[in-house]
Amino acid sequence: MRVMICTAMLAALCSPVAAQVAGAEACLAAALKDGSDPTLCVEPSDAACMDSAPETPAVSTACFAETRAQWGAAIGKRMQSLPDDTATTVARIEAKYDVLGGMVQCDRIEALAKAASDLDGPQIALQKERCLSRATALTYVRLFARTHSADPASD
């Protein structure tokens, strides 16, 4: 019964997240066009996952894992849609190392939390998954910004 309740809560939380990730391209294109901060386009997916964090950190952790998977899929889809030229090859390399750099920082934050904080296991897991999700989302933002003009659909 507990598993069914958690599964239902996770589905309810993550359904809007998937739609927010899918809808981020319009927000990013508009932000790049008008010169506003494109990183604000990833805020809705973070907020959706944090709604239940204080009461049920495991549900929020799972939501962030799903969000990270959605952003990762968006990165892969974007990379597949780009032409094979030097600029997009550089963007692909940059994206790879953006993700790796973010993962290292999230591991660092986790190690520090375990060593020097009062957080418990579920809170540390939530913190790390949120960090990984955010790092993946910001990698997508940077990839989008680097390749927006190369995207045939952006014209």
Side-chain angles (χ1 to χ4, degrees), residues 16 31 60 64 66 82 85 87 97 102 108 125 134 141 144 151:
S60 291
F64 277 115
E66 175 62 23
L82 296 171
D85 60 20
Y97 287 98
R108 176 181 154 270
R134 184 67 171 206
V141 169
F144 187 90
D151 185 359

Side-chain angles (χ1 to χ4, degrees), residues 28 32 38-39 42 75 78 91 94-95 97-102 134-148:
L28 291 170
L32 292 173
T39 63
V42 302
I75 290 169
R78 182 145 193 96
E94 292 287 348
Y97 287 98
D98 285 346
V99 168
L100 290 172
R134 184 67 171 206
T136 307
L138 293 176
T139 296
Y140 182 79
V141 169
R142 287 188 291 273
L143 177 65
F144 187 90
R146 288 178 183 126
T147 62
H148 183 60

Side-chain angles (χ1 to χ4, degrees), residues 30-117:
L32 292 173
K33 185 176 180 178
D34 66 21
S36 62
D37 183 3
T39 63
L40 297 176
C41 297
V42 302
E43 295 295 328
S45 60
D46 270 10
C49 289
M50 287 304 292
D51 282 349
S52 66
E55 302 86 24
T56 55
V59 172
S60 291
T61 300
C63 182
F64 277 115
E66 175 62 23
T67 302
R68 179 168 51 113
Q70 293 289 328
W71 285 116
I75 290 169
K77 182 179 175 186
R78 182 145 193 96
M79 286 187 175
Q80 291 294 323
S81 73
L82 296 171
D84 274 335
D85 60 20
T86 303
T88 54
T89 298
V90 169
R92 286 180 177 112
I93 292 167
E94 292 287 348
K96 174 183 174 182
Y97 287 98
D98 285 346
V99 168
L100 290 172
M103 291 171 68
V104 168
Q105 289 305 314
C106 296
D107 283 349
R108 176 181 154 270
I109 291 168
E110 177 188 36
L112 289 170
K114 287 178 178 177
S117 80

